[in-house]
Amino acid sequence: MHSYYEKKYYRRPVEEVVQDIKNSGKKYVFFIDDNFVADHSYALEICKAIAPLKIKWVTQGAITMAKNDELLYWMKKSGCKMVLIGYESMNPNILKDMGKGWRSSVGEINELTNKIHSYGIGIYATFVFGFGDDSQEVFDETVKFAKKHSFFFAAFNHLVPFPKTGVYKRLKEEKRLLSDKWWLDSRYPYGRISFYLWIKLQMNCQKNVLMLERNSLNGDLF
């Protein structure tokens, strides 16, 4: 997403966010932000400002929030019920290829996950397959990890090469896209892989993603 939006992060004045919530009259809010905790100081300011509103809210954010106890405290105190976190892959080499090698430097992933849960904040965990050579072991390890942490919900997705992203450019150069504008191609029904993989890997990825979707974890949020 940061590639699609050219890596720019826009902050709305906190008072405007608070006023929007008040004007809505709603008590359940979804902050549609690709990474609510991208700026910890700003996120903390938001949480402190909305705490008096007594709302319940969900959002999306990076696992880095687990390193900030004050932020987690105020997220919970202000009504945060769940955060969508893109774990993406359990394979560190694939994470590095995704440009997310930084995750390994944040800390041990099980400890970070436990820290967020310890504050009573649920996690909607998402994973992506098809970026590299995902073996059967990667699928099995992902399911084991998801079950271990009893996520509120877990989504298992195949890679989608959105335009403007590095992976889209790479697949286009390798002539592996279904078509340059695959999203307009009649051969691309929603939910199918939109680029060419090795036949064995493609069948394995499609089969496992469908299997995982049917057995995804879910719980009672409110």
Side-chain angles (χ1 to χ4, degrees):
M1 294 298 290
H2 67 281
S3 296
Y4 186 84
Y5 290 108
E6 300 176 344
K7 302 180 180 179
K8 293 180 180 179
Y9 186 76
Y10 301 93
R11 299 173 184 81
R12 289 191 66 199
V14 175
E15 58 273 15
E16 287 188 9
V17 176
V18 173
Q19 193 58 51
D20 275 356
I21 296 173
K22 289 180 177 179
N23 292 343
S24 74
K26 305 298 182 182
K27 287 298 181 181
Y28 299 95
V29 176
F30 173 28
F31 287 107
I32 307 176
D33 189 323
D34 187 48
N35 187 2
F36 181 83
V37 298
D39 182 332
H40 284 199
S41 296
Y42 177 69
L44 187 58
E45 189 179 354
I46 289 282
C47 291
K48 289 181 178 180
I50 66 175
L53 303 182
K54 305 297 182 182
I55 62 172
K56 293 180 180 180
W57 58 275
V58 298
T59 189
Q60 305 171 105
I63 194 74
T64 54
M65 73 183 81
K67 304 294 286 186
N68 192 326
D69 284 277
E70 184 183 13
L71 176 57
L72 290 175
Y73 170 81
W74 279 100
M75 286 175 67
K76 178 61 178 179
K77 186 175 178 63
S78 62
C80 181
K81 302 297 291 184
M82 184 188 70
V83 179
L84 184 154
I85 298 177
Y87 287 86
E88 315 304 9
S89 176
M90 303 308 295
N91 186 325
N93 293 324
I94 290 179
L95 284 174
K96 190 177 296 183
D97 290 341
M98 287 180 171
K100 295 190 175 184
W102 56 265
R103 202 190 75 182
S104 299
S105 64
V106 176
E108 204 280 319
I109 197 65
N110 287 288
E111 293 178 2
L112 297 173
T113 300
N114 288 336
K115 171 61 76 66
I116 295 171
H117 274 155
S118 73
Y119 278 86
I121 297 173
I123 297 176
Y124 178 165
T126 64
F127 304 90
V128 178
F129 301 103
F131 196 95
D133 187 6
D134 288 316
S135 63
Q136 184 61 47
E137 287 71 27
V138 173
F139 289 97
D140 295 340
E141 184 182 356
T142 302
V143 172
K144 183 179 179 180
F145 175 76
K147 287 184 174 181
K148 175 181 179 179
H149 291 287
S150 299
F151 292 121
F152 167 76
F153 195 88
F156 307 94
N157 311 295
H158 59 71
L159 179 67
V160 179
F162 289 107
K164 294 187 181 182
T165 61
V167 67
Y168 176 88
K169 294 174 183 175
R170 175 170 62 83
L171 292 173
K172 183 176 181 180
E173 290 173 357
E174 295 174 355
K175 301 186 183 305
R176 290 172 56 197
L177 291 173
L178 185 64
S179 65
D180 287 354
K181 293 186 177 182
W182 53 265
W183 55 94
L184 299 178
D185 197 310
S186 60
R187 294 174 296 169
Y188 173 70
Y190 180 78
R192 292 288 181 86
I193 297 174
S194 58
F195 59 97
Y196 297 107
L197 285 163
W198 293 278
I199 297 300
K200 183 178 180 181
L201 178 59
Q202 180 155 347
M203 292 177 67
N204 187 45
C205 184
Q206 194 82 52
K207 178 186 71 176
N208 279 283
V209 167
L210 288 173
M211 179 274 293
L212 292 172
E213 285 177 345
R214 294 192 189 103
N215 296 281
S216 60
L217 309 170
N218 63 81
D220 183 12
L221 180 59
F222 299 112

